[in-house]
Amino acid sequence: FEHAPSSTEGNLLLVRLRQYPNAVEGTIRSQVAFDTKSISWVDTDIPGIQEKCLYPLDDTQKVYPERQWLEKWESKTKMPPKTIGQHGLEIFVVDGSFTDTEGSYKKGDWLRLPNGYILDASSTTDGCTLLCKSGGFMFAIPPDNAK
């Protein structure tokens, strides 16, 4: 695999390389590349929120703890309060903006929410598109003083 991105207009790249072990329980992590525009939005249980699953795409990768997806929130969508699970949640604001009890987040903002955090969020009038990832904190390296 050769990584050589380019663009005439310029792009914002969110690159996260080699964060996790390549093999868990004998399963090799597969590298995936695809155009997210080719995936259809799917309704969720929450009115006004749709998603596109990015990882895992097949059963061979379900041994890994993380899940990655895009969410699209319509204007002024209110998500019921959600307690973040054991391995945290990361949110990157791709477009638009949303608010929660701690503040307002706009395009380009990145949040790392720890286990137990209560996300009580609403999109603003312009709605938002979020890149979400859960399960990634499992592989985080603790500070030297954490034993």
Side-chain angles (χ1 to χ4, degrees):
F1 177 74
E2 184 176 315
H3 184 72
S6 66
S7 169
T8 304
E9 301 85 26
N11 288 313
L12 170 66
L13 298 177
L14 178 63
V15 178
R16 307 182 66 190
L17 300 174
R18 297 177 194 86
Q19 300 180 72
Y20 308 109
N22 191 37
V24 172
E25 297 178 22
T27 301
I28 301 298
R29 186 182 294 272
S30 60
Q31 183 167 328
V32 180
F34 53 86
D35 182 355
T36 58
K37 293 176 186 169
S38 68
I39 302 171
S40 298
W41 289 103
V42 176
D43 291 333
T44 67
D45 294 338
I46 304 169
I49 299 179
Q50 295 181 308
E51 71 175 34
K52 293 182 180 189
C53 179
L54 304 178
Y55 187 88
L57 293 176
D58 60 53
D59 289 340
T60 65
Q61 300 301 299
K62 291 198 177 192
V63 66
Y64 295 100
E66 67 268 19
R67 178 175 177 260
Q68 297 182 52
W69 68 99
L70 286 169
E71 282 186 357
K72 181 171 66 171
W73 295 26
E74 293 177 4
S75 174
K76 297 186 179 181
T77 295
K78 170 74 173 130
M79 183 180 80
K82 173 184 177 176
T83 302
I84 303 306
Q86 179 180 2
H87 299 299
L89 176 68
E90 294 179 70
I91 300 172
F92 179 77
V93 184
V94 176
D95 198 25
S97 58
F98 76 96
T99 62
D100 76 356
T101 55
E102 299 294 320
S104 299
Y105 312 97
K106 64 188 180 319
K107 181 178 179 176
D109 287 345
W110 177 35
L111 291 79
R112 295 190 75 188
L113 307 176
N115 174 32
Y117 182 89
I118 299 174
L119 180 61
D120 188 4
S122 300
S123 61
T124 58
T125 55
D126 53 348
C128 60
T129 302
L130 309 174
L131 174 62
C132 303
K133 179 177 180 181
S134 64
F137 291 5
M138 177 179 185
F139 298 111
I141 299 170
D144 289 339
N145 61 355
K147 303 256 186 250

